[in-house]
Amino acid sequence: MIVNAAHDAIRVDASTGLVAMVTLVTALVFGLITLARPSRATITWGVAFGLGLLGTYLWVGAQQMDSAVLQAAASGFMICFEPIIWLGLRMHFGKRPIWWPVVAFVLIAPGSLAVTADGPGFQPVFRAVFLVAGVFAALIAYELFRNPSPRRDIKLPLALASCAFAILAVVGAAAALFDTELSLSVQLDVLREINSVGTLVTSVCAAFTLVLLVRADGQQVDTAALGAVRARRRLQKARLHGDQAWSILDVRLDDTADLRESTTGVGFGRIVDRFHDDIIDSLPAAADADRVDDDRCIVIIHGSDESVQHHVRTMLRRISTIGGAGASAGIRLSASVGWAGVSVVGYDYDELIEAAAQAAARARDEGGDRWERVKKAPTTLER
């Protein structure tokens, strides 16, 4: 009797701790980013944490009421955290949001789990839902690692937590296919407990990353996101009028690591400021240049091939001019430029950005201080 009473007390304490922590991080996210800096991304993240908080409350209530249906629905709400966070990340980084898989998952997951809670079909349904959530977790890590703008120390907590979630989802799905010492019901109970603990760990890591992402790097990333929105609108208008004289330039400062080591933090900041100022000063008034990172700038420019080539050469000469004063005094900078034109790649902004990035990487690999133009259609570009 004493052992059972102690066990019940431990369960209550654990549930109370889970509710307290999830409530705390949800309040932090709402207070520090959703309400303080409202945007499509921060509102989306607020919805994610709100659903996670609702699922946590329902989970604890279902345990006290011993309700399988309520516990299943709570698991669905908690798992919905992953796709909504991924959707918010795409918005924050200025990429085209993909709504339909997120909306479908949020509508189907809790309902399907609740409907099958008392039947034999619950186990395969839960494993399938958990696996799909793992796919979204992997996409979160992919978005964070592929985007260079957030500093590594900021994006690492959420990226590692998402990778761990994805691995556990795959392992859980694979375990059902092989004979183990644990029965299917025991394996399912383990997955449920992992889901509850994973909610706590993921929510804390996500709150840490997202708050710093918005408040530390927020202005720079928001500027890049707004620039991407403007560029998409311009390209849509160009598509309607059949105007193919638009190009995307990916301009990257060479030897960034060496510059960081050879200068102080303030000195490096002045160098990159001069780098971006040189880009803006060498472009026509109709071009837009968005600073997406310290050593990277995305430019959308209109003009003939000869005109764009003239501005690119002017830009490279201006950047490579040895500074006579300040942090860049006596230092010769250089840049690598990737050039992707609508006439070759098409009007899709994301494809233009990817093509220009690949061209800039090739220019840097060939020694830098040069430009490389995309000459092949997107279907033949290296992936």
Side-chain angles (χ1 to χ4, degrees), residues 47-59 69-84 105-114 126 129 133 195 199:
V47 172
F49 276 86
L51 277 180
L53 183 63
L54 174 62
T56 303
Y57 284 165
L58 290 178
W59 174 273
V69 175
L70 188 59
Q71 189 176 25
S75 298
F77 285 120
M78 293 162 70
I79 292 176
C80 287
F81 182 86
E82 301 293 333
I84 302 177
F105 186 87
V106 171
L107 294 177
I108 294 174
S112 60
L113 290 175
F126 183 84
V129 169
N195 184 31
T199 298

Coordinates of all heavy atoms in Angstrom, one line a residue, residues 47-59 69-84 105-114 126 129 133 195 199:
V47 N 0.4 29.7 -32.0 CA -0.6 28.7 -32.1 C 0.0 27.3 -31.8 O -0.7 26.5 -31.1 CB -1.1 28.7 -33.6 CG1 -2.1 27.5 -33.8 CG2 -1.9 30.0 -33.8
A48 N 1.2 27.1 -32.2 CA 1.9 25.8 -31.9 C 2.0 25.5 -30.4 O 1.7 24.5 -29.9 CB 3.2 25.7 -32.6
F49 N 2.5 26.5 -29.7 CA 2.6 26.4 -28.3 C 1.3 26.3 -27.6 O 1.1 25.7 -26.6 CB 3.5 27.5 -27.7 CG 5.0 27.3 -27.8 CD1 5.6 27.7 -29.0 CD2 5.7 26.8 -26.8 CE1 7.0 27.5 -29.1 CE2 7.1 26.6 -26.9 CZ 7.7 26.9 -28.1
G50 N 0.3 27.1 -28.1 CA -1.0 27.0 -27.5 C -1.6 25.6 -27.7 O -2.2 25.1 -26.7
L51 N -1.5 25.0 -28.8 CA -2.0 23.6 -29.0 C -1.2 22.6 -28.1 O -1.8 21.7 -27.6 CB -1.8 23.2 -30.5 CG -3.0 23.6 -31.4 CD1 -2.7 23.1 -32.8 CD2 -4.3 23.1 -30.9
G52 N 0.1 22.8 -28.0 CA 0.9 22.0 -27.1 C 0.5 22.1 -25.7 O 0.4 21.1 -25.0
L53 N 0.2 23.3 -25.3 CA -0.3 23.5 -23.9 C -1.6 22.9 -23.7 O -1.9 22.2 -22.6 CB -0.4 25.0 -23.6 CG -0.8 25.4 -22.2 CD1 0.2 24.9 -21.2 CD2 -1.0 26.9 -22.1
L54 N -2.5 23.0 -24.7 CA -3.9 22.3 -24.6 C -3.7 20.8 -24.5 O -4.3 20.2 -23.7 CB -4.7 22.7 -25.8 CG -6.0 22.0 -25.9 CD1 -7.0 22.3 -24.8 CD2 -6.7 22.4 -27.3
G55 N -2.8 20.3 -25.3 CA -2.6 18.8 -25.3 C -2.0 18.4 -24.0 O -2.4 17.3 -23.5
T56 N -1.1 19.2 -23.4 CA -0.6 18.8 -22.1 C -1.6 18.8 -21.0 O -1.7 17.8 -20.2 CB 0.6 19.8 -21.7 OG1 1.5 19.8 -22.7 CG2 1.2 19.4 -20.4
Y57 N -2.5 19.8 -20.9 CA -3.6 19.8 -19.9 C -4.5 18.6 -20.1 O -4.9 18.0 -19.2 CB -4.3 21.1 -20.1 CG -3.6 22.3 -19.5 CD1 -4.1 23.6 -19.8 CD2 -2.5 22.2 -18.7 CE1 -3.4 24.7 -19.2 CE2 -1.9 23.3 -18.1 CZ -2.3 24.6 -18.4 OH -1.7 25.7 -17.9
L58 N -4.8 18.3 -21.4 CA -5.7 17.2 -21.6 C -5.1 15.9 -21.2 O -5.7 15.0 -20.8 CB -6.1 17.2 -23.1 CG -7.0 18.3 -23.6 CD1 -7.3 18.2 -25.1 CD2 -8.4 18.3 -22.8
W59 N -3.7 15.8 -21.5 CA -3.0 14.6 -21.1 C -3.1 14.3 -19.6 O -3.4 13.2 -19.2 CB -1.6 14.7 -21.6 CG -0.7 13.6 -21.2 CD1 0.1 13.5 -20.0 CD2 -0.4 12.4 -21.9 NE1 0.8 12.3 -20.0 CE2 0.5 11.7 -21.2 CE3 -0.8 12.0 -23.2 CZ2 1.0 10.4 -21.6 CZ3 -0.3 10.7 -23.6 CH2 0.6 10.0 -22.8
V69 N -9.9 7.8 -24.6 CA -10.2 8.7 -25.8 C -9.6 10.1 -25.6 O -8.9 10.7 -26.5 CB -11.7 8.8 -25.9 CG1 -12.0 9.9 -27.0 CG2 -12.3 7.5 -26.3
L70 N -9.7 10.6 -24.4 CA -9.1 12.0 -24.1 C -7.6 11.9 -24.1 O -7.0 12.9 -24.6 CB -9.6 12.4 -22.7 CG -9.2 13.9 -22.3 CD1 -9.9 14.8 -23.3 CD2 -9.7 14.2 -20.9
Q71 N -7.0 10.8 -23.7 CA -5.6 10.7 -23.7 C -5.1 10.6 -25.2 O -4.0 11.2 -25.5 CB -5.1 9.5 -22.9 CG -3.6 9.4 -22.8 CD -3.2 8.2 -21.9 OE1 -3.9 7.2 -21.8 NE2 -2.1 8.3 -21.2
A72 N -5.8 9.9 -26.0 CA -5.4 9.8 -27.4 C -5.5 11.2 -28.1 O -4.6 11.6 -28.9 CB -6.3 8.8 -28.1
A73 N -6.6 11.9 -27.9 CA -6.8 13.2 -28.5 C -5.7 14.2 -28.0 O -5.1 15.0 -28.8 CB -8.1 13.8 -28.1
A74 N -5.3 14.1 -26.7 CA -4.2 14.9 -26.1 C -2.9 14.6 -26.8 O -2.1 15.5 -27.1 CB -4.1 14.7 -24.6
S75 N -2.7 13.3 -27.1 CA -1.4 13.0 -27.8 C -1.4 13.6 -29.2 O -0.4 14.1 -29.6 CB -1.3 11.4 -27.9 OG -1.3 10.8 -26.7
G76 N -2.6 13.6 -29.8 CA -2.6 14.2 -31.2 C -2.3 15.7 -31.1 O -1.6 16.2 -32.0
F77 N -2.9 16.4 -30.2 CA -2.6 17.9 -30.0 C -1.1 18.1 -29.7 O -0.6 19.1 -30.2 CB -3.5 18.5 -29.0 CG -4.9 18.7 -29.4 CD1 -5.9 18.0 -28.7 CD2 -5.3 19.4 -30.5 CE1 -7.3 18.2 -29.1 CE2 -6.6 19.6 -30.9 CZ -7.6 19.0 -30.2
M78 N -0.5 17.3 -28.9 CA 0.9 17.5 -28.5 C 1.8 17.3 -29.8 O 2.7 18.0 -30.0 CB 1.2 16.6 -27.4 CG 0.5 16.9 -26.1 SD 0.6 15.5 -24.9 CE 2.3 15.5 -24.4
I79 N 1.4 16.3 -30.6 CA 2.2 16.0 -31.7 C 2.1 17.0 -32.8 O 3.0 17.3 -33.6 CB 1.8 14.6 -32.3 CG1 2.3 13.5 -31.3 CG2 2.5 14.3 -33.7 CD1 1.9 12.1 -31.7
C80 N 0.9 17.7 -32.9 CA 0.7 18.8 -33.8 C 1.7 19.9 -33.7 O 1.8 20.8 -34.6 CB -0.7 19.3 -33.7 SG -2.0 18.2 -34.4
F81 N 2.4 20.0 -32.6 CA 3.4 21.0 -32.4 C 4.4 21.1 -33.5 O 4.9 22.1 -33.9 CB 4.1 20.7 -31.0 CG 5.1 21.7 -30.6 CD1 4.7 22.9 -29.9 CD2 6.5 21.5 -30.8 CE1 5.7 23.8 -29.5 CE2 7.4 22.4 -30.4 CZ 7.0 23.6 -29.8
E82 N 4.9 19.9 -33.9 CA 6.0 19.8 -34.9 C 5.7 20.5 -36.2 O 6.4 21.3 -36.7 CB 6.4 18.3 -35.1 CG 6.8 17.6 -33.8 CD 8.1 18.2 -33.3 OE1 8.9 18.7 -34.1 OE2 8.3 18.1 -32.1
P83 N 4.6 20.1 -36.9 CA 4.3 20.7 -38.3 C 4.1 22.2 -38.2 O 4.5 22.9 -39.1 CB 3.1 20.0 -38.8 CG 2.4 19.4 -37.6 CD 3.5 19.1 -36.6
I84 N 3.5 22.7 -37.1 CA 3.2 24.1 -37.0 C 4.5 24.9 -36.8 O 4.7 26.0 -37.4 CB 2.2 24.4 -35.9 CG1 0.9 23.7 -36.2 CG2 1.9 25.9 -35.9 CD1 -0.2 23.8 -35.1
F105 N -2.6 17.5 -41.3 CA -2.1 16.8 -40.1 C -2.9 17.3 -38.8 O -3.3 16.4 -38.0 CB -0.6 17.0 -40.0 CG 0.0 16.2 -38.9 CD1 0.4 14.9 -39.1 CD2 0.1 16.7 -37.6 CE1 1.0 14.1 -38.1 CE2 0.7 15.9 -36.6 CZ 1.1 14.6 -36.9
V106 N -3.0 18.6 -38.7 CA -3.7 19.1 -37.5 C -5.1 18.7 -37.4 O -5.6 18.4 -36.3 CB -3.6 20.7 -37.4 CG1 -4.4 21.2 -36.3 CG2 -2.1 21.1 -37.3
L107 N -5.8 18.5 -38.5 CA -7.2 18.1 -38.5 C -7.3 16.6 -38.4 O -8.3 16.1 -37.7 CB -7.9 18.6 -39.8 CG -8.0 20.1 -40.0 CD1 -8.6 20.4 -41.4 CD2 -8.9 20.7 -38.9
I108 N -6.4 15.8 -38.9 CA -6.6 14.4 -39.0 C -6.0 13.7 -37.7 O -6.6 12.8 -37.2 CB -5.9 13.8 -40.3 CG1 -6.7 14.3 -41.5 CG2 -5.9 12.3 -40.2 CD1 -6.0 13.9 -42.8
A109 N -4.8 14.2 -37.3 CA -4.1 13.4 -36.2 C -4.9 13.3 -34.9 O -5.2 12.2 -34.5 CB -2.8 14.1 -35.9
P110 N -5.4 14.4 -34.3 CA -6.2 14.2 -33.0 C -7.4 13.4 -33.2 O -7.8 12.6 -32.4 CB -6.4 15.7 -32.6 CG -5.5 16.5 -33.3 CD -5.2 15.8 -34.6
G111 N -8.2 13.7 -34.3 CA -9.4 13.0 -34.6 C -9.2 11.5 -34.8 O -10.0 10.7 -34.2
S112 N -8.3 11.1 -35.6 CA -8.0 9.7 -35.9 C -7.6 9.0 -34.6 O -8.0 7.8 -34.4 CB -7.0 9.5 -37.0 OG -5.8 10.1 -36.6
L113 N -6.8 9.6 -33.8 CA -6.4 8.9 -32.6 C -7.5 8.8 -31.6 O -7.7 7.7 -31.0 CB -5.2 9.7 -31.9 CG -3.9 9.7 -32.7 CD1 -2.9 10.7 -32.0 CD2 -3.3 8.3 -32.7
A114 N -8.4 9.8 -31.5 CA -9.5 9.7 -30.6 C -10.5 8.7 -31.1 O -11.1 7.9 -30.2 CB -10.2 11.1 -30.5
F126 N -1.5 5.3 -34.3 CA -0.6 6.1 -33.4 C 0.8 6.1 -34.0 O 1.5 7.1 -34.1 CB -0.6 5.6 -32.0 CG 0.3 6.5 -31.1 CD1 -0.2 7.6 -30.5 CD2 1.6 6.1 -30.8 CE1 0.6 8.4 -29.7 CE2 2.4 6.9 -30.0 CZ 1.9 8.0 -29.4
V129 N 1.0 8.2 -37.1 CA 0.9 9.7 -36.8 C 2.3 10.1 -36.2 O 2.8 11.2 -36.5 CB -0.2 10.0 -35.8 CG1 -0.1 11.4 -35.2 CG2 -1.6 9.8 -36.5
A133 N 4.8 12.9 -37.8 CA 5.4 14.0 -36.9 C 6.9 14.0 -36.9 O 7.5 15.1 -36.9 CB 4.8 13.9 -35.5
N195 N 6.5 10.5 -26.0 CA 5.8 11.7 -26.5 C 5.6 12.8 -25.5 O 5.8 14.0 -25.7 CB 4.4 11.2 -27.1 CG 3.7 12.4 -27.7 OD1 4.3 13.3 -28.3 ND2 2.3 12.3 -27.7
T199 N 7.6 16.2 -25.5 CA 6.9 17.5 -25.6 C 7.6 18.5 -24.7 O 7.8 19.7 -25.1 CB 5.4 17.3 -25.1 OG1 4.8 16.5 -26.1 CG2 4.7 18.7 -25.1

